[in-house]
Amino acid sequence: MTVLSNFNVRVCILLLCLSLASMITLHFGLGEISQSLSDGKNVNAISLRKGGSIQSHLTHFEGDTTADCKLISVRKYDYCGISVGLGAESIDQGIDLRDYDKIELKLQYSAPLDKAKLKVIFRNYNHLYSNIDDVVSLKYNSIGINPNLYNTTVSIPLNAFQVDNWWAYLYQVGFENSHVDLSNVSSFELITDGMPVPGNYQITLKSAVLKGQIISDIEFLKLMLAVWLLTAIVLISLQHNKMKTLSATDPLTGLYNRRGIRFWVSKFLASPLSNSRLTMYYFDIDDFKKVNDSYGHLTGDELLIRFSQRIKSYLSDEQHNNWAFARLSGDEFSLLCQDIESDQVELFAQQILTILKEPITLGNHQIYVHVSIGIAQADKETYNFEDLMQRADSAMYYAKKSGKNQYKIFNESVSQDIFFRKQTAEKIKNAIIQDQFHLHYMPILNSKTLDIVSVEVLLRCNAESLEGIGPDIFIPIAEEYELIKNIDLWVIEASFKQIAQEATYLAKQPLVFCINISAAELHNPLFSQQLQSLLERYQIDPSRIELEITETSLIETDEMSINTLHEIRSLGIKLALDDFGTGYTAFSQLVNYPVDCLKIDKSFIDHLDSPDQTQATVVKAIIAIAQSYQLTTIAEGIEDVEQYHFLAELGCDMMQGYLFAKPMPWLELKRNLADPEQELRRKSLLPKTATSRLVNY
Ligand code: C2E
Ligand code: CA
Ligand code: CA
């Protein structure tokens, strides 16, 4: 916008300068034209003109022409002077004076009386009123002047000339031809205008020059006005086009923006010539946030530019012609191709993933850009851009969910999944309204004593419509459809109610309640206040509460989420990083997170016995690092005793899993805690000797 406005201003200034310069040029006569009528190429002859009883002769001296006329006796029409033939010798081929404004005459005149007048005449030929054989028939355009001074310069505007009546009368010229005509002027004359007394009349013509301007003031103004008007129209339409382009362009990459690509696709789909072969590739850069966090936003921006350039150069290398590429937002891009055959759709996506295997070098950094790609093809049912986009987006979401750096094509199963998710979201909404949730509690044990020290609060839904759909499925859907805040708050309040109700029991049997909260809460500015007011309302000792947030929710960490974590901590509540190991937290980053506990993800525990030992090595490292940061460790998903022994040996502080107990209702938990048999069963799992069967792993 600014660039364009500057451009406009520059054009206006330039135009203003040009206008001023032209005006000045005109004003100081630099645009003047002139033509001599007393010598030069236009003059074919200079002769004496006279009528009456006159003795006369013509002399030429140093460019001056002098007519000496002696009037002997006065008659009615005496005249004498100089005639200058113009143009060719033939009288029908004169010169055109219409481009001139005035004639400037330098002359001397003496006569035997004061105030003697002269006449300046232009005689022109036009077949409508003139006759080639009769010189007098040339139209008589004249003006009388009174030179007054002996030696003078007179300037006569050409529009002051008039056609003499005697001439019009003589040749019976109608009104339409009785006006001054200076086209095709065959002679210019300077003669006496009346000779009332006898004596010597002398006319000397020093010079006769026609003067004019390349353009008249009025014409100039008209021209200026036209130029300004034209410029204004051009600028406005340029501005309009530029605005149109700008509003359709992403300023960072120069690609289309969402609006631009929507227009492109809509135009394509509406075109009667378009077949349905339009493929949309929806790219979402994997973990782009991490690039921004690690290298800063400028590098992030540069990476987006380089990413788009790499895709574009691939398209031109492969000679794909009919495509449109857009940056939809942040790290999301969309590529539309018209020329990809159905059997090439996947190959194209594979090739994109391949060209992104090469890292992008930015300064000293080599950054690997991986993308999740969703593919959708326009077909008879895809009527518009939004449909196509939604399909590609859903497929992309699938690719992300399936582990990133891969592509997925929108197909029946994706579409069914979308339908399922939408329906489930509706059911969750109803369950929230009808309060159809309850809580289960899963024991967490001290690994040295196998006493139950905490419980993880797990949500259950008793709505019939959600039968068979566990929280592992409905929680992510609730997050996707932004229903999670209600759920989180419900779980916290229900847990607090339970704790308050069981205050006496819990005083004897102190338990820490581990409550799961969604990543969305880290961006909920009200969360810590809500938490505090619930703590106060139910008189809860905050040291009995631990909140679990998944490690992956911290991938998107920013100042706000870290602040929220600090606020929660300052209430006296503990924090645990759930599903630890599945995210990308560099161990060194742990210092930045105000957490108390790491919960090692079940997937690591499941594969502790894998022959390549990698999972076991990772778990060992996690526990060692957690210890060095003084963080408590919990291993979740323990299903067999070997897993427990192995982890206990490594120094993992707490255990949770089906081996010890499944999630259960509150009353069952109380019964379990009171049951000596259950306690015996638990204690029987304790390692027999200090040296466990580490060797097994
Ligand atoms: P999570 O936070 O990782 O919870 C642990 C899940 O693993 C629970 O499943 C638990 O039953 C299961 N689990 C624990 N030990 C074992 C084991 O030894 N074997 C097996 N097979 N499973 C084990 P659940 O209750 O289905 O919860 C699934 C997920 O749903 C939770 O994963 C959590 O992410 C989410 N969730 C559950 N309740 C809530 C809640 O109240 N609020 C929020 N925001 N999320 C919740
Ligand atoms: Ca959890
Ligand atoms: Ca977990």
Side-chain angles (χ1 to χ4, degrees), residues 269 275-277 377-384 387 391:
L269 291 177
N275 53 23
S276 57
R277 218 173 63 206
Q377 284 172 287
D379 57 30
K380 283 184 249 70
E381 286 152 34
T382 326
Y383 293 116
N384 58 41
D387 280 354
R391 291 176 172 207

Side-chain angles (χ1 to χ4, degrees), residues 456 516 548 578 599:
E456 179 172 5
N516 293 288
E548 296 188 3
D578 204 357
K599 279 190 96 166

Side-chain angles (χ1 to χ4, degrees), residues 126-130 137 139-141 163-181:
N126 183 324
H127 70 95
L128 291 174
Y129 45 73
S130 326
S137 71
K139 189 182 273 184
Y140 200 88
N141 310 283
V163 175
D164 279 31
N165 287 339
W166 65 263
W167 178 85
Y169 179 75
L170 185 64
Y171 290 95
Q172 295 293 301
V173 171
F175 176 75
E176 67 276 15
N177 285 321
S178 64
H179 47 263
V180 173
D181 181 2

Side-chain angles (χ1 to χ4, degrees), residues 271-315:
S271 156
L273 296 174
S274 72
N275 53 23
S276 57
R277 218 173 63 206
L278 182 67
T279 313
M280 178 184 270
Y281 293 87
Y282 193 115
F283 303 116
D284 186 298
I285 299 183
D286 295 334
D287 306 321
F288 180 68
K289 185 76 173 37
K290 279 205 306 191
V291 175
N292 271 342
D293 288 350
S294 318
Y295 306 106
H297 283 269
L298 282 180
T299 309
D301 284 355
E302 189 57 31
L303 193 75
L304 293 173
I305 296 170
R306 298 282 293 277
F307 166 78
S308 66
Q309 285 169 347
R310 189 172 285 187
I311 303 280
K312 277 200 292 191
S313 73
Y314 168 74
L315 290 165

Side-chain angles (χ1 to χ4, degrees), residues 4 6 61 100 132 164 168-169 211 216 289 419 439 455 614 616 649 674:
L4 194 75
N6 284 345
F61 179 70
Y100 299 91
I132 289 207
D164 279 31
Y169 179 75
K211 295 226 159 142
S216 72
K289 185 76 173 37
F419 181 68
L439 299 178
V455 285
T614 43
E649 185 62 26

